[in-house]
Amino acid sequence: MSERVTVAKTYKLYLGGKFPRSESGRVYSVQDTKGKFLANAAQASRKDIRDAVSAARKAFPGWSGATAYNRGQVLYRVAEMLEGRRDQFVAEVAAAEGGRRSASIVDAAIDRWVWYAGWTDKIASVLGAANPVAGPYFSFTLPEPTGVVGVLAPQRSSLLGLVSVLAPVLATGCTAVVVSSETRPLPAITLSEVLATSDLPGGVANILTGRAAELGPWLASHGDVNALDPTGADDRAALAREAAGTVKRVLAVPAEEPDWTRRPDITRLRRYLEAKTVWHPMGD
């Protein structure tokens, strides 16, 4: 019997709750740390970015308008499904990043997702305020989601770093367009499969594979993107200049990719929120 030919897997994008091919038809090969071929991944284009932003904008009213409790339950369900596919994530992180810590990295990513899910119904209490005013009025400041967020995911940390930048966006009620690690995209692709089969509405999170250097400027200059996380970009200053034309919020991130295993805080939650102040006259 002749030796059979291996059927190479070709992954697609995750956009609007569906898995389309790239509009350009382009793909690129993904290798492990030893150069062994793993799969083909779709190489997203400018048109794919526009479609993803449209999907995120369409999903924003429903996601931001859901109760904080409901958003927390949806995100916790994602963590449950991550746990169910733990072995697959361990194998993919090991292939992408090498080393012997893949199991602990995956466990940390699941725990990180749970941590942010738990914040959904606590954000208003911690970041909101009842303001003291001189006059017969009540004055309250409430945090509200900023809108559609473009995220250039970390290039080296294929899962834990990705979760650390995506989960806080969703926890605040924002929607996301994410460009995954270019050379280590498989954990992000598997995460998109988890999101697609969870309770997360289509369009809330959109995950594209491809080159951050190509896709980043289109995200930065898009008028319907309200905030940009340039963590995975090489030239962040150029992206900030691109973003200036649409007056969007650009997160200040360290020059070097941080140690994602460190305990998280609410800094990233705070960055995706706007302060809304309401005045109301006091009754008799």
PDB file of all heavy atoms in Angstrom, residues 16 101 153 211 273 278:
ATOM      1  N   GLY A  16     -17.819  38.088  12.277  1.00  0.00           N
ATOM      2  CA  GLY A  16     -19.270  38.171  12.375  1.00  0.00           C
ATOM      3  C   GLY A  16     -19.935  36.886  12.807  1.00  0.00           C
ATOM      4  O   GLY A  16     -21.085  36.619  12.454  1.00  0.00           O
ATOM      5  N   ARG A 101       6.379  24.779  29.585  1.00  0.00           N
ATOM      6  CA  ARG A 101       5.416  25.481  30.436  1.00  0.00           C
ATOM      7  C   ARG A 101       4.052  25.620  29.795  1.00  0.00           C
ATOM      8  O   ARG A 101       3.216  26.369  30.277  1.00  0.00           O
ATOM      9  CB  ARG A 101       5.958  26.869  30.780  1.00  0.00           C
ATOM     10  CG  ARG A 101       7.292  26.876  31.508  1.00  0.00           C
ATOM     11  CD  ARG A 101       7.749  28.295  31.778  1.00  0.00           C
ATOM     12  NE  ARG A 101       6.747  29.045  32.503  1.00  0.00           N
ATOM     13  CZ  ARG A 101       6.524  30.359  32.331  1.00  0.00           C
ATOM     14  NH1 ARG A 101       7.212  31.027  31.428  1.00  0.00           N
ATOM     15  NH2 ARG A 101       5.611  30.975  33.038  1.00  0.00           N
ATOM     16  N   ALA A 153      -2.790  41.740  18.677  1.00  0.00           N
ATOM     17  CA  ALA A 153      -2.444  40.833  19.768  1.00  0.00           C
ATOM     18  C   ALA A 153      -0.932  40.653  19.880  1.00  0.00           C
ATOM     19  O   ALA A 153      -0.186  40.865  18.908  1.00  0.00           O
ATOM     20  CB  ALA A 153      -3.106  39.477  19.539  1.00  0.00           C
ATOM     21  N   ARG A 211      -0.799  39.666   8.822  1.00  0.00           N
ATOM     22  CA  ARG A 211       0.363  40.481   9.184  1.00  0.00           C
ATOM     23  C   ARG A 211      -0.079  41.755   9.895  1.00  0.00           C
ATOM     24  O   ARG A 211      -0.823  42.565   9.335  1.00  0.00           O
ATOM     25  CB  ARG A 211       1.183  40.825   7.951  1.00  0.00           C
ATOM     26  CG  ARG A 211       1.737  39.611   7.202  1.00  0.00           C
ATOM     27  CD  ARG A 211       2.562  40.016   5.983  1.00  0.00           C
ATOM     28  NE  ARG A 211       3.710  40.848   6.391  1.00  0.00           N
ATOM     29  CZ  ARG A 211       3.881  42.103   6.043  1.00  0.00           C
ATOM     30  NH1 ARG A 211       2.967  42.718   5.299  1.00  0.00           N
ATOM     31  NH2 ARG A 211       4.948  42.766   6.442  1.00  0.00           N
ATOM     32  N   LEU A 273     -13.304  52.433  28.881  1.00  0.00           N
ATOM     33  CA  LEU A 273     -14.534  53.000  29.417  1.00  0.00           C
ATOM     34  C   LEU A 273     -14.533  54.523  29.301  1.00  0.00           C
ATOM     35  O   LEU A 273     -13.496  55.168  29.395  1.00  0.00           O
ATOM     36  CB  LEU A 273     -14.693  52.604  30.893  1.00  0.00           C
ATOM     37  CG  LEU A 273     -14.878  51.102  31.151  1.00  0.00           C
ATOM     38  CD1 LEU A 273     -14.718  50.805  32.635  1.00  0.00           C
ATOM     39  CD2 LEU A 273     -16.241  50.636  30.657  1.00  0.00           C
ATOM     40  N   VAL A 278     -24.413  62.105  35.129  1.00  0.00           N
ATOM     41  CA  VAL A 278     -25.846  62.391  35.061  1.00  0.00           C
ATOM     42  C   VAL A 278     -26.223  63.278  36.241  1.00  0.00           C
ATOM     43  O   VAL A 278     -25.837  63.003  37.387  1.00  0.00           O
ATOM     44  CB  VAL A 278     -26.667  61.083  35.110  1.00  0.00           C
ATOM     45  CG1 VAL A 278     -28.154  61.381  35.081  1.00  0.00           C
ATOM     46  CG2 VAL A 278     -26.269  60.172  33.949  1.00  0.00           C
TER      47      VAL A 278
END
